[in-house]
């Protein structure tokens, strides 16, 4: 008797559980439910309402962590401003090794990669990019007064951050230099300061920053990288997100926000033309 009753109760629970599963399965397959999900999350963010950004903690003044551990810098402030314009104020930055940023965006671990990432055809095989927002130089930083031009690097130990355009450029143009690869700029500059490499090759503004921080480090060679302006990297095929970012980015350029951030973070650097409000462009 007792066993029978318990069996019946268990049976009733099992039936109820099956019914619930069926109802929820119907719900998720329902057209109106999925279209409202698309409306709530038009940019296909990992978590609706939040943009998760892979970045770099030691590429000051582009992207860096400040004394409070908060992400700051030109690229960070520009991206947050652009995100605000598309209706997202919750932007979470996470520091990665440079070489991990694009794969992590492609894998869907992050919604965007922001770290002065130059737009190239090769990188476009992995991710999509917003329009460009910054173009400048690749710079050799050194305390060796014998390094003044590209040829002087022959036989020298030159640091590069893995996966950067600097690594690619050095491989192609400095065949007689001994390349030493680092995961990030801090480790490269530490090696430079301790004398285990002769020079470190990085972005111009970051080189300028380390030059200010460490007496004796000079910007010895500047190589134009205007054909690879920095862009925001996003997952391939997320066109709604890319188009919204582009529209907001151009608004930030047109209303002078871009110029204000440029002057704040890159004081004394020549003012480029192409990202200024159209009324201020000279050519
Ligand atoms: O190609 C340049 C661009 O013209 C501008 O000067 C900003 O930096 C670049 O995008 C190159 N940046 C490197 C790269 O994309 C290194 C980025 C980094 O160290 N965070 O590989």
């Amino acid at each position: 008797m007792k066993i029978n009753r318990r069996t019946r109760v268990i049976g009733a629970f099992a039936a109820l559980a099956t019914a619930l599963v069926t109802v929820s399965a119907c719900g998720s397959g329902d057209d109106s439910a999925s279209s409202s999900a698309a409306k709530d999350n038009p940019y296909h963010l990992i978590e609706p309402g939040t943009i998760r950004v892979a970045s770099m903690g030691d590429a000051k003044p582009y992207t860096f962590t400040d004394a409070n551990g908060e992400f700051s810098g030109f690229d960070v402030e520009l991206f947050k401003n652009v995100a605000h314009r598309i209706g997202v104020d919750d932007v979470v930055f996470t520091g990665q090794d440079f070489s991990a940023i694009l794969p992590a965006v492609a894998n869907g671990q992050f919604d965007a990669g922001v770290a002065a990432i130059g737009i190239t055809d090769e990188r476009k095989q992995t991710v999509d990019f917003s329009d460009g927002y910054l173009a400048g130089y690749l710079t050799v930083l050194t305390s060796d007064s014998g390094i003044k031009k590209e040829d002087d690097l022959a036989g020298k130990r030159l640091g590069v951050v893995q996966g950067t355009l600097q690594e690619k450029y050095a491989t192609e143009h400095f065949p007689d230099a001994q390349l030493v690869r680092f995961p990030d700029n801090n480790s490269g500059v530490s090696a430079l300061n301790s004398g285990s490499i002769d020079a470190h090759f990085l972005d111009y503004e970051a080189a300028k920053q380390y030059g200010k921080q460490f007496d004796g480090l000079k910007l010895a060679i500047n190589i134009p990288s205007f054909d690879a302006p920095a862009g925001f990297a996003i997952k391939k095929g997320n066109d709604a997100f890319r188009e919204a970012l582009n529209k907001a980015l151009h608004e930030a350029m047109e209303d002078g926000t871009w110029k204000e951030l440029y002057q704040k973070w890159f004081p004394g650097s020549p003012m480029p033309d192409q990202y200024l409000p159209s009324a201020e462009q000279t050519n």
Side-chain angles (χ1 to χ4, degrees):
M1 262 315 245
K2 247 186 187 168
I3 289 168
N4 265 349
R5 202 180 298 147
R6 193 182 290 159
T7 310
R8 230 178 291 140
V9 171
I10 290 170
F13 271 114
L16 183 62
T18 308
L20 285 175
V21 167
T22 311
V23 166
S24 65
C26 282
S28 68
D30 182 27
D31 271 355
S32 67
S34 60
S35 73
S36 90
K39 218 180 281 164
D40 292 345
N41 190 18
Y43 311 132
H44 310 291
L45 302 174
I46 297 161
E47 207 182 306
T50 298
I51 300 181
R52 294 169 48 86
V53 182
S55 188
M56 231 185 146
D58 63 350
K60 190 177 182 180
Y62 305 96
T63 66
F64 66 101
T65 40
D66 67 15
N68 302 318
E70 302 286 337
F71 269 82
S72 186
F74 174 83
D75 296 49
V76 170
E77 287 199 15
L78 179 66
F79 187 78
K80 282 184 171 172
N81 183 279
V82 164
H84 174 74
R85 290 172 199 258
I86 68 169
V88 182
D89 285 317
D90 188 21
V91 183
V92 181
F93 283 82
T94 302
Q96 302 270 296
D97 288 351
F98 185 79
S99 61
I101 295 176
L102 298 184
V105 170
N107 281 333
Q109 294 173 58
F110 292 93
D111 298 301
V114 177
I117 306 169
I119 304 168
T120 66
D121 286 341
E122 195 180 331
R123 289 175 175 168
K124 279 191 200 163
Q125 292 176 7
T126 308
V127 291
D128 284 345
F129 283 97
S130 71
D131 292 338
Y133 63 82
L134 195 65
Y137 296 86
L138 314 181
T139 295
V140 175
L141 182 71
T142 184
S143 57
D144 181 341
S145 56
I147 300 177
K148 292 199 174 69
K149 53 185 191 313
E150 299 196 12
D151 286 351
D152 300 333
L153 290 166
K156 301 284 184 180
R157 288 159 303 175
L158 178 66
V160 290
V161 172
Q162 236 157 24
T164 58
L165 296 185
Q166 283 81 356
E167 180 185 25
K168 191 172 194 297
Y169 189 93
T171 308
E172 289 166 4
H173 296 90
F174 309 148
D176 300 325
Q178 217 180 296
L179 284 198
V180 183
R181 291 168 175 81
F182 294 94
D184 52 38
N185 285 313
N186 278 345
S187 52
V189 172
S190 297
L192 181 57
N193 284 331
S194 71
S196 63
I197 57 172
D198 300 304
H200 183 56
F201 192 23
L202 70 174
D203 283 347
Y204 172 78
E205 299 287 350
K208 220 169 129 181
Q209 196 68 42
Y210 282 114
K212 261 190 247 165
Q213 195 180 344
F214 299 107
D215 272 357
L217 294 186
K218 302 267 180 291
L219 282 63
I221 308 168
N222 293 312
I223 296 151
S225 188
F226 297 96
D227 57 341
F232 305 134
I234 63 165
K235 196 171 184 168
K236 255 181 159 338
N238 194 349
D239 292 345
F241 192 30
R242 187 174 46 77
E243 283 159 18
L245 289 174
N246 279 341
K247 183 168 174 283
L249 180 59
H250 289 288
E251 281 167 17
M253 290 171 181
E254 194 54 38
D255 73 5
T257 301
W258 185 95
K259 181 184 179 184
E260 197 179 297
L261 292 175
Y262 189 91
Q263 287 169 325
K264 172 179 174 183
W265 289 104
F266 310 135
S269 291
M271 182 60 74
D273 216 40
Q274 75 263 39
Y275 308 128
L276 297 179
S278 41
E280 292 183 34
Q281 290 181 11
T282 51
N283 47 33

